[in-house]
Amino acid sequence: MTISESDDKTDIPEEPDRRQFLEKATCAVAVAGVAAAAWPFISSMNPARDVLRKSTTEVDISQIPVGEVKTVEWQSKPVFIFHRTPDQTTTMQASTGSKIDPQTDEERVLNPEWLVVIGLCTHLGCVPNKKPEGWFCPCHGSVYDNSGRVLRGPAPKNLYLLPYQFLSTDKLLLGKA
Ligand code: FES
């Protein structure tokens, strides 16, 4: 008795080892292709060298008179460096801020004489104007005190803090605590 042609084809299963090898090889090639295609995008997300260089900024604060604010740029944002008067400091230390974003003055300064904050309104990012009692945002009327704490909205948060340190009594380093 002879084995028919059709029996011969259907009864012999495909070799499992060979199939698995082919599947794994195909997957490996696909993963390598995706990685190669994605690399330029991933690489472009790394900060550029000039950005890294500007991640810290040294500021000479020796020429900022008491009661005055100096605005400097740090990481493309304005930073207010405010040399507070003793009266302003005492008033801010006695206040606990507003109910919008309560915070003590002590939590916001390294040295009570100096307030260092990002100079952008926390509502939609306008630059607030300095007033004797703090800052006023001309865009929608938010008010901040001399500790940068929001007293009246729509701003939802106090002026943002940033990492900084005193290199000496005359020098600040922005961007590194
Ligand atoms: S951006 Fe300042 S109140 Fe809207």
Side-chain angles (χ1 to χ4, degrees), residues 121-126 128 137-142 144 153-155:
C121 180
T122 58
H123 179 222
L124 293 177
C126 290
C137 181
C139 292
H140 310 96
S142 291
Y144 301 88

Side-chain angles (χ1 to χ4, degrees), residues 10-82:
T10 54
D11 291 347
I12 301 171
E14 197 179 329
E15 236 181 89
D17 285 352
R18 187 164 175 266
R19 190 171 55 227
Q20 281 171 4
F21 169 77
L22 285 172
E23 283 171 4
K24 283 178 185 168
T26 307
C27 281
V29 169
V31 167
V34 169
W39 177 249
F41 298 106
I42 293 165
S43 178
S44 72
M45 287 183 214
N46 289 330
R49 276 198 195 123
D50 58 334
V51 173
L52 284 176
R53 222 180 302 126
K54 286 185 178 173
S55 65
T56 58
T57 301
E58 208 173 297
V59 184
D60 180 359
I61 56 173
S62 64
Q63 302 304 313
I64 307 175
V66 175
E68 297 291 316
V69 178
K70 179 175 184 171
T71 304
V72 298
E73 189 181 322
W74 172 72
Q75 294 196 350
S76 306
K77 298 181 198 77
V79 170
F80 296 153
I81 302 173
F82 180 26

Side-chain angles (χ1 to χ4, degrees), residues 98-169:
S98 76
K99 286 180 185 162
I100 300 173
D101 187 11
Q103 204 173 24
T104 63
D105 187 65
E106 202 181 4
E107 291 173 293
R108 298 181 53 77
V109 294
L110 289 181
N111 173 342
E113 210 175 316
W114 296 95
L115 176 74
V116 182
V117 289
I118 302 283
L120 295 172
C121 180
T122 58
H123 179 222
L124 293 177
C126 290
V127 177
N129 298 327
K130 188 72 187 85
K131 301 282 175 194
E133 61 284 347
W135 281 269
F136 174 75
C137 181
C139 292
H140 310 96
S142 291
V143 174
Y144 301 88
D145 68 9
N146 277 324
S147 188
R149 294 173 298 200
V150 60
L151 298 179
R152 193 175 78 208
K157 305 290 284 177
N158 301 331
L159 292 180
Y160 293 119
L161 303 173
L162 62 149
Y164 69 94
Q165 59 179 272
F166 284 87
L167 296 177
S168 67
T169 50

